[in-house]
Amino acid sequence: LAPELGLDFTLTAAAERQRVLILVSRAGHCLNDLLYRQQSGLLDIDIVAVASNHPDLRPLTQSYGIDYHHLPVEKQPRTAGNGRNAKAAREAEILTLVDHYRADLVVLARYMQILSDDFCAKLPGRIINIHHSFLPGFKGARPYHQAHARGVKLIGATAHYVTPELDEGPIIEQEVHRVDHTHTPEALMAVGRDMECLALARAVRWHTEHRVL
């Protein structure tokens, strides 16, 4: 039927587990949730390694017997080319890990670094990010403080594919929670962390089960 209907299709063995590389910075709630879900059988994936621009989450990762790679991002003087060269070197290291571990998917579990257009182009449809806001919405820094200042009644988290357009990639899953004026910014952040874990876990599961159209 494929030629007749002009179809593009793939066949995947149901028993074939996707290999996942996780990128993280200092916040560990999404990483911890994914590690637990994999170990408990709630996520049928293999987390092959974790890489971070900080060393903080090495003990958590290694407690699950998973390799941890510290890829520091050195602060460079604001001179022409320095920042770009540092970013290119870091991204080259990440791509080396993708090849080394034969990773099918890269998950940004609160990885607080912007990926270059070139990096995104090398892994189309293979990078999932969790955004700590209900997109489109409060973008940029301190979204929960922005939400508090505006008196919002619903906050959310968005799991989406990463594209060169920052935070504009196709949305896979969103989670929302009703709040009111009694919630401080800190309380909103606590609620937000739970929503981020849920939205990201669902997005990873649906992607690795080939359920995303």
Side-chain angles (χ1 to χ4, degrees), residues 104-138:
D104 302 297
L105 177 68
V106 175
V107 175
L108 311 185
R110 294 302 304 273
Y111 182 61
M112 307 307 288
Q113 296 289 319
I114 296 174
L115 300 176
S116 70
D117 293 359
D118 185 58
F119 185 92
C120 295
K122 285 183 170 64
L123 299 170
R126 294 173 58 193
I127 312 173
I128 292 177
N129 182 44
I130 184 65
H131 190 279
H132 53 179
S133 185
F134 187 65
L135 294 175
F138 299 104

Side-chain angles (χ1 to χ4, degrees), residues 41-53:
L42 297 174
L43 271 178
D44 194 24
I45 61 175
D46 290 325
I47 298 176
V48 292
V50 174
S52 175
N53 53 323

Side-chain angles (χ1 to χ4, degrees), residues 31-210:
L31 171 63
N32 186 56
D33 184 72
L34 292 173
L35 291 170
Y36 170 76
R37 288 174 188 270
Q38 179 209 242
Q39 186 184 67
S40 60
L42 297 174
L43 271 178
D44 194 24
I45 61 175
D46 290 325
I47 298 176
V48 292
V50 174
S52 175
N53 53 323
H54 297 283
D56 306 49
L57 298 173
R58 183 188 298 274
L60 169 63
T61 301
Q62 293 185 332
S63 71
Y64 284 86
I66 293 173
D67 294 343
Y68 188 89
H69 298 269
H70 179 209
L71 307 179
V73 179
E74 302 295 341
K75 290 189 176 180
Q76 300 288 334
R78 290 185 176 274
T79 57
N82 262 359
R84 289 192 299 272
N85 292 339
K87 172 181 274 194
R90 182 187 73 242
E91 292 184 346
E93 291 179 300
I94 295 172
L95 288 171
T96 297
L97 292 178
V98 171
D99 290 338
H100 175 74
Y101 287 101
R102 296 179 286 109
D104 302 297
L105 177 68
V106 175
V107 175
L108 311 185
R110 294 302 304 273
Y111 182 61
M112 307 307 288
Q113 296 289 319
I114 296 174
L115 300 176
S116 70
D117 293 359
D118 185 58
F119 185 92
C120 295
K122 285 183 170 64
L123 299 170
R126 294 173 58 193
I127 312 173
I128 292 177
N129 182 44
I130 184 65
H131 190 279
H132 53 179
S133 185
F134 187 65
L135 294 175
F138 299 104
K139 298 182 182 180
R142 297 164 67 86
Y144 293 113
H145 290 75
Q146 295 179 53
H148 182 262
R150 293 285 295 277
V152 301
K153 300 300 179 280
L154 285 173
I155 61 173
T158 303
H160 64 94
Y161 286 111
V162 176
T163 64
E165 294 75 33
L166 183 63
D167 295 331
E168 298 292 337
I171 291 171
I172 307 170
E173 173 63 337
Q174 294 183 296
E175 181 70 22
V176 294
H177 189 88
R178 178 166 289 279
V179 296
D180 58 35
H181 64 282
T182 65
H183 287 74
T184 64
E186 290 71 27
L188 296 181
M189 291 171 67
V191 172
R193 284 191 290 269
D194 289 340
M195 291 190 298
E196 290 162 20
C197 291
L198 287 173
L200 183 59
R202 289 188 194 128
V204 170
R205 180 165 66 86
W206 291 340
H207 174 92
T208 56
E209 291 178 354
H210 307 283

